[in-house]
């Protein structure tokens, strides 16, 4: 049986516990140990005279803004799941606060001391006046002046008219990173507090500049949305990804789960809805797709099939928020083909997609959504398959789907049995990347906006109750958000693509003194000119990388206009000649440059299936770029000239709501392809977009 729902705080409950006749009379309230998962802001705002509030021993993961408790002096939120305390800044009269047994750091305590002017104690420890004054002096006006000076002298003038928001984002990132490097404030033990303040001040300066532009003091055309979603709403670097707004309307013929009935299966915790969709779901735009004329010339040669040609087969709208058929804003972030559990080197025709509150399983042969799993108030950013034994006997292998999102949790799904059987709080911030160890199928590496990489051992579920043990084995601390990871067990190396570059870590967690911080930084060619108005911006923002062979890696840096192929063993050989204390820097010499879009839009991912030597990547105007990488699998010497795509699939000609869209359409109307995947045989290509659409291409071997 599913567990009983957590009790809700009602007006009657509060009056009963306080012996008051009306909420306005309540001054002290104890709501501890009730299993509360959220707080009703409208209810609490009716208690303006509340001075003492006890919410300890609950399951609160966030604290609402603007509760209106202007007289609150004592607050106990200990033994909860709070990952940020910035929302407590609304209680300016607060004198005592208990926050112990929450996943917080020492920097969070200092934040409270800085944000609350009248705070006297945190967890019973008295806050000395001289310490509070020191924090205000060092991290207040003095730090603001330093950041503002850097802004005025070096960066403000770079924000000019006619810039895209992608360029702005790069400039903002560079501004924040430079400020962290140049500006000193406080001791090293308070580096987290300093960085948080720098990010806050810098973000405010950039936001003020954006406001001036919006009011007409400057003009800017932007393909990116300024509505960024962030768990804490503070750090520009730690913002959840956001893409350009949509301005295209679609007709009723687009596939939408809201129009269909579905069977609902409850997960083991009683909270997650699993939709088993009927066979009729999956109608596509096939009738509206304008077929390409038969080509008299052979298609570009690809490594596995020289006659390979692709036709658009399906376009689905299946991640709508609350099944709203008009939702064209939900971002679908990742897609990945399911491996064959009996032959993991092969894929099935099933692909998993994640975005918004849902995870979908699609069958590329039919274009049907065969399963849909939903988690209210989540926003899923990453998904990966684990092929593990169904029990300890290891007689039969099965596929487990792992998804992660903005709550910092990962969830375990067994699609074969339609069950969402476990969830685990892995990080304090949004999860953005996951990878499974190639030799240890139960080891999962997770990356987060809290700038950590963690290794988890996930035991196979014990049937029939699906009991599962999850154990943390190790943790690493990259200098910025890890957006993708690669593992090289034979080289004892973990490689992370981060917002500030590419970094290597020691992989062997069994060593007693395994390194938490990076040991190697890999630097790539500098871009001399990468803005639309001629301004030079240096960027090391690497948003994706993948293996094309055991030795050669493909990496993409935002704004570079290409995908780099580089040889890892050749690069590491140079490290033997370098003897330095601490992390070393290795210069990457690419063996090839794959031509790609000049866009500044970030979070556009690429993939290839191991053994099928075709790399696929989307772009910001709906195109699919395909590269034959077979001749680079063992390449050590650089290619002299840039490598063009072997084939380029343009956004299919479709008619939506009477409007025909094609590659000739205005670029602002076309979707951005966030991620793309190709099956092990190359028969199917699936892409996911920033406008709640999933598109499929099917290989057609009969070319006239």
């Amino acid at each position: 049986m599913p567990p009983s729902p957590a009790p809700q705080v009602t007006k009657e409950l509060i009056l009963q516990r306080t012996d008051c006749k009306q909420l306005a009379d309540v001054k002290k309230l104890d709501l501890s140990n009730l299993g509360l998962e959220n707080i009703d802001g409208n209810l609490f705002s009716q208690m303006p005279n509340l001075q003492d509030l006890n919410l300890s021993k609950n399951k609160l993961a966030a604290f609402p803004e603007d509760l209106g408790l202007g007289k609150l002096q004592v607050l106990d939120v200990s033994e909860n799941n709070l990952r940020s305390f910035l929302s407590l800044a609304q209680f300016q009269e607060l004198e005592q606060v208990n926050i112990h047994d929450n996943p917080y750091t020492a920097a969070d305590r200092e934040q409270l001391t800085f944000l609350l002017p009248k705070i006297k104690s945190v967890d019973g420890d008295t806050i000395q006046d001289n310490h509070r004054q020191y924090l205000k002096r060092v991290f207040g006006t003095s730090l603001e002046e330093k950041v503002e000076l850097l802004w005025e002298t070096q960066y403000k003038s770079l924000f000019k008219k006619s810039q895209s928001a992608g360029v702005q984002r790069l400039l903002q990132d560079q501004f924040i990173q430079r400020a962290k490097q140049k500006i000193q404030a406080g001791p090293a033990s308070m580096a987290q507090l300093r960085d948080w303040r720098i990010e806050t001040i810098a973000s405010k300066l950039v936001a003020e500049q954006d406001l001036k532009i919006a009011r007409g003091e400057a003009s800017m055309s932007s393909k990116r949305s300024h509505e960024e979603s962030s768990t804490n709403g503070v750090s520009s670097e730690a913002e959840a990804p956001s893409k350009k707004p949509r301005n295209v309307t679609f007709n009723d013929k687009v596939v939408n789960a809201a129009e269909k009935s579905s069977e609902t299966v409850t997960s083991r915790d009683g909270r997650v809805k699993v939709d088993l969709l009927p066979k009729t779901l999956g109608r596509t735009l096939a009738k509206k797709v304008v077929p390409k004329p038969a080509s008299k010339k052979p298609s570009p040669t690809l490594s596995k099939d020289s006659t390979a040609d692709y036709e658009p087969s399906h376009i689905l709208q299946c991640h709508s928020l609350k099944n709203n058929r008009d939702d064209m804003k939900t971002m679908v972030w990742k897609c990945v083909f399911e491996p064959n559990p009996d032959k993991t080197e092969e894929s099935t025709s099933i692909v998993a997609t994640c975005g918004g509150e849902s995870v979908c399983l699609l069958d590329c042969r039919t274009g049907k959504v065969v399963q849909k799993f939903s988690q209210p108030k989540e926003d899923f950013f990453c998904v990966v398959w684990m092929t593990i034994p169904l029990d300890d006997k290891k007689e039969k292998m099965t596929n487990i789907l792992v998804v992660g999102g903005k709550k910092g949790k990962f969830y375990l799904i067994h699609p074969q049995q339609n069950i969402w059987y476990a969830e685990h709080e892995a990080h304090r911030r949004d999860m953005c990347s996951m990878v499974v160890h190639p030799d240890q199928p139960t080891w999962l590496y997770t990356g987060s906006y809290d700038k950590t990489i963690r290794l988890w051992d996930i035991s196979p579920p014990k049937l029939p109750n699906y009991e599962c043990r999850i154990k943390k084995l190790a943790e690493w601390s990259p200098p910025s958000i890890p957006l993708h990871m690669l593992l090289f067990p034979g080289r004892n190396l973990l490689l992370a693509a981060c917002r500030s570059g590419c970094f290597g870590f020691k992989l062997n967690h069994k060593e007693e003194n395994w390194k938490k911080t990076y040991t190697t930084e890999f630097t790539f060619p500098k871009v001399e000119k990468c803005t639309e108005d001629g301004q030079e911006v240096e960027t090391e923002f690497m948003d994706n990388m993948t293996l094309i062979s055991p030795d050669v890696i493909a990496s993409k840096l935002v704004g570079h206009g290409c995908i780099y192929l580089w040889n890892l063993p050749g690069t590491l050989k140079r490290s033997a000649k370098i003897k330095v204390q601490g992390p070393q820097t290795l210069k990457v010499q690419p063996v090839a440059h794959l031509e790609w879009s000049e866009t500044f839009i970030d979070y556009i991912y690429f993939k290839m299936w191991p053994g099928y030597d075709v790399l696929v990547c989307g772009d910001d105007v709906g195109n699919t770029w395909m590269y034959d990488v077979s001749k680079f699998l063992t390449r050590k010497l650089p290619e002299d000239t840039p490598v063009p795509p072997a084939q380029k699939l343009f956004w299919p000609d479709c008619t939506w709501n009477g409007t025909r869209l094609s590659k000739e359409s205005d670029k602002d109307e076309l979707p951005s392809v966030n991620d793309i995947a190709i099956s092990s045989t190359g028969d199917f290509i699936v892409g996911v977009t920033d406008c709640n659409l999933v598109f499929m291409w099917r290989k057609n071997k009969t070319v006239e």
Side-chain angles (χ1 to χ4, degrees):
M1 294 180 61
S4 58
Q8 298 294 320
V9 178
T10 63
K11 176 180 178 180
E12 291 73 19
L13 177 64
I14 294 176
L15 296 180
Q16 179 184 0
R17 286 185 165 235
T18 59
D19 292 329
C20 294
K21 295 183 179 181
Q22 54 185 1
L23 294 178
D25 296 335
V26 177
K27 294 185 178 181
K28 185 175 181 179
L29 178 60
D30 186 348
L31 296 175
S32 62
N33 202 24
L34 292 179
L36 301 178
E37 296 181 354
N38 52 67
I39 294 176
D40 186 348
N42 294 328
L43 184 62
F44 275 73
S45 64
Q46 300 177 45
M47 296 182 284
N49 296 311
L50 186 62
Q51 300 177 11
D52 189 329
L53 177 59
N54 187 349
L55 291 168
S56 63
K57 299 180 180 179
N58 283 297
K59 300 179 181 179
L60 301 176
F63 213 86
E65 302 282 355
D66 302 325
L67 285 181
L69 305 180
K71 296 183 180 181
L72 191 64
Q73 298 177 358
V74 180
L75 176 63
D76 189 346
V77 289
S78 59
E79 299 184 54
N80 277 280
N81 298 318
L82 295 172
R83 295 174 289 175
S84 172
F85 301 97
L86 296 176
S87 58
L88 302 189
Q90 62 183 295
F91 308 127
Q92 291 292 290
E93 299 295 320
L94 203 59
E95 298 179 357
Q96 301 177 30
V97 61
N98 289 328
I99 60 174
H100 64 82
D101 291 328
N102 281 283
Y104 71 94
T105 65
D108 293 315
R109 288 173 60 97
E110 300 293 3
Q111 284 179 354
L112 287 177
T113 305
F114 182 85
L115 293 170
L116 300 173
K118 296 185 178 182
I119 192 69
K120 295 180 179 179
S121 70
V122 178
D123 290 338
D125 297 331
T126 302
I127 304 298
Q128 302 295 333
D129 289 338
N130 57 353
H131 181 62
R132 180 170 32 246
Q133 293 171 3
Y134 168 78
L135 292 178
K136 289 185 177 180
R137 182 176 69 256
V138 175
F139 301 105
T141 305
S142 175
L143 186 56
E144 289 176 357
E145 291 175 350
K146 294 178 182 179
V147 178
E148 288 175 0
L149 178 62
L150 181 65
W151 166 256
E152 293 288 342
T153 57
Q154 298 187 31
Y155 286 93
K156 185 177 181 179
S157 61
L158 298 180
F159 284 77
K160 296 181 179 181
K161 62 182 180 179
S162 301
Q163 285 177 329
S164 71
V167 174
Q168 276 195 320
R169 181 68 172 269
L170 294 176
L171 288 171
Q172 180 174 332
D173 290 344
Q174 186 181 22
F175 172 39
I176 292 174
Q177 293 301 319
R178 185 67 60 85
K180 290 180 180 179
Q181 294 171 0
K182 294 191 62 176
I183 298 175
Q184 299 297 322
S189 60
M190 294 186 180
Q192 283 185 304
L193 177 61
R194 183 205 63 174
D195 290 350
W196 166 72
R197 282 291 294 153
I198 288 176
E199 291 171 353
T200 304
I201 298 166
S203 298
K204 181 180 178 181
L205 292 171
V206 174
E208 289 175 350
Q209 184 74 358
D210 286 344
L211 184 61
K212 292 179 181 179
I213 294 173
R215 289 177 175 174
E217 296 181 33
S219 61
M220 179 184 301
S221 60
S222 173
K223 288 184 68 179
R224 288 286 297 266
S225 169
H226 291 283
E227 297 177 359
E228 303 287 349
S229 62
S230 175
T231 305
N232 290 344
V234 178
S235 167
S236 64
E237 183 184 27
E239 288 172 345
S242 175
K243 292 286 181 75
K244 63 187 179 183
R246 297 294 302 151
N247 55 8
V248 182
T249 58
F250 296 79
N251 62 11
D252 297 341
K253 295 183 180 180
V254 176
V255 175
N256 191 293
E259 300 177 5
K260 304 295 179 180
S261 60
S262 64
E263 177 186 354
T264 299
V265 177
T266 305
S267 69
R268 299 194 68 82
D269 61 9
R271 294 195 302 272
V272 182
K273 186 182 74 173
V274 181
D275 293 328
L276 305 182
L277 303 172
K279 295 182 179 180
T280 53
L281 182 61
R283 286 185 305 110
T284 70
L285 299 179
K287 294 182 179 181
K288 300 186 292 303
V289 173
V290 180
K292 296 187 299 181
S295 175
K296 296 182 180 180
K297 299 181 180 180
S299 300
T301 300
L302 294 178
S303 61
K304 290 297 179 182
D305 192 339
S306 61
T307 62
D309 190 20
Y310 288 85
E311 293 181 345
S313 58
H314 306 90
I315 298 179
L316 310 177
Q317 179 189 358
C318 50
H319 286 266
S320 300
L321 184 63
K322 297 181 180 179
N323 285 333
N324 178 11
R325 62 185 296 172
D326 297 323
D327 176 13
M328 303 307 296
K329 295 182 179 180
T330 293
M331 304 278 186
V332 189
W333 287 111
K334 291 289 182 69
C335 58
V336 58
F337 273 94
E338 178 189 25
N340 184 331
D342 299 321
K343 296 181 179 180
T344 54
E345 68 275 9
E346 300 177 358
S347 71
T348 69
S349 62
I350 300 297
V351 64
T353 62
C354 72
E357 297 181 343
S358 59
V359 181
C360 294
L361 297 185
L362 318 176
D363 190 339
C364 295
R365 296 170 301 181
T366 62
K368 301 292 194 298
V369 183
V370 293
Q371 286 173 292
K372 183 174 181 180
F373 303 85
S374 299
Q375 176 70 295
K377 299 183 180 179
E378 254 292 7
D379 195 356
F380 291 116
F381 296 146
C382 48
V383 59
V384 68
W385 291 95
M386 299 179 71
T387 303
I388 62 176
L390 192 58
D391 52 35
D392 293 335
K393 296 181 180 180
K394 299 183 179 181
E395 295 178 353
K396 184 178 181 180
M397 305 297 287
T398 190
N399 286 327
I400 300 297
L401 193 63
V402 189
V403 289
K406 73 174 184 180
K407 291 185 178 181
K409 299 180 179 180
F410 62 75
Y411 304 82
L412 304 178
I413 304 172
H414 190 200
Q416 186 179 13
Q417 297 298 324
N418 303 313
I419 188 169
W420 188 314
Y421 67 91
E423 63 183 62
H424 184 75
E425 186 168 333
H427 294 273
R428 299 175 62 240
R429 299 290 302 274
D430 315 46
M431 281 183 57
C432 54
S433 56
M434 296 188 297
V435 64
V436 178
H437 194 286
D439 301 325
Q440 299 288 343
T442 63
W443 285 8
L444 177 71
Y445 293 76
T446 60
S448 168
Y449 281 72
D450 62 11
K451 301 178 186 178
T452 63
I453 297 172
R454 291 173 179 169
L455 168 59
W456 308 91
D457 186 7
I458 303 174
S459 69
K462 291 185 179 181
L463 304 179
N465 296 325
Y466 276 84
E467 297 176 359
C468 177
R469 175 186 55 81
I470 301 174
K471 181 181 179 181
K472 178 182 172 182
L473 298 181
E475 179 174 327
W476 297 265
S477 299
S480 58
I481 300 170
L483 297 174
H484 199 82
M485 296 171 285
L486 293 177
L487 305 176
F488 302 89
R491 301 183 182 278
N492 191 27
L493 178 66
L494 184 157
L495 209 60
C498 303
R499 288 185 63 92
S500 58
C502 182
F503 300 90
F505 303 80
K506 293 294 184 182
L507 187 59
N508 191 354
H509 74 284
K510 294 182 179 180
E511 297 178 0
E512 293 183 359
N513 297 319
W514 55 272
K515 300 293 185 181
K516 280 190 174 183
T517 57
Y518 69 93
T519 57
T520 309
E521 179 180 4
F522 298 86
T523 61
F524 287 76
K526 300 290 184 180
V527 287
E528 297 180 357
K529 177 178 152 183
C530 60
T531 66
E532 297 169 353
D533 58 356
Q535 293 292 333
E536 292 187 3
V537 178
E538 293 183 2
T539 173
E540 296 294 338
F541 185 170
M542 182 180 290
D543 60 357
N544 194 212
M545 63 181 175
T546 192
L547 277 175
I548 69 168
S549 76
D551 293 340
V552 180
I553 299 171
S555 299
K556 181 167 70 68
L557 286 86
V558 176
H560 284 225
C562 69
I563 297 173
Y564 296 109
L565 303 185
W566 55 288
N567 187 283
L568 178 63
T571 305
L572 292 176
K573 282 183 180 179
R574 292 191 290 273
S575 65
K577 304 177 182 179
I578 304 175
K579 296 182 179 180
V580 296
Q581 295 293 330
Q584 60 180 336
T585 300
L586 297 179
K587 184 178 180 180
V588 172
Q589 297 178 351
V591 297
H593 298 68
L594 306 183
E595 292 181 358
W596 190 65
S597 170
E598 297 289 341
T599 182
F600 286 92
I601 300 295
D602 45 19
Y603 302 104
I604 296 179
Y605 305 104
F606 54 79
K607 283 192 181 77
M608 66 173 287
W609 188 273
Y612 190 81
D613 306 331
V614 175
L615 182 75
V616 290
C617 185
D619 64 16
D620 60 325
V621 289
N623 299 326
T624 298
W625 303 59
M626 304 179 66
Y627 304 91
D628 178 1
V629 295
S630 58
K631 66 178 181 179
F632 301 109
L633 300 182
T634 58
R635 177 64 66 93
K636 295 181 180 180
L637 299 177
E639 181 82 2
D640 295 332
T641 59
V643 180
Q647 192 168 351
K648 191 173 180 181
L649 307 178
F650 296 97
W651 182 258
D653 293 355
C654 299
T655 301
W656 290 333
N657 199 24
T659 301
R660 178 175 174 176
L661 291 180
S662 66
K663 62 182 181 180
E664 287 81 18
S665 300
D666 188 281
K667 291 184 178 181
D668 285 338
E669 295 179 339
L670 293 171
S672 180
V673 181
N674 292 338
D675 192 19
I676 198 163
I678 188 169
S679 63
S680 61
T681 59
D683 289 339
F684 304 107
I685 297 175
V686 177
V688 295
T689 71
D690 64 346
C691 60
N692 193 21
L693 291 181
V694 179
F695 63 88
M696 297 180 182
W697 293 86
R698 180 194 294 267
K699 182 191 291 185
N700 178 14
K701 295 184 180 180
T702 57
V703 180
E704 296 181 6

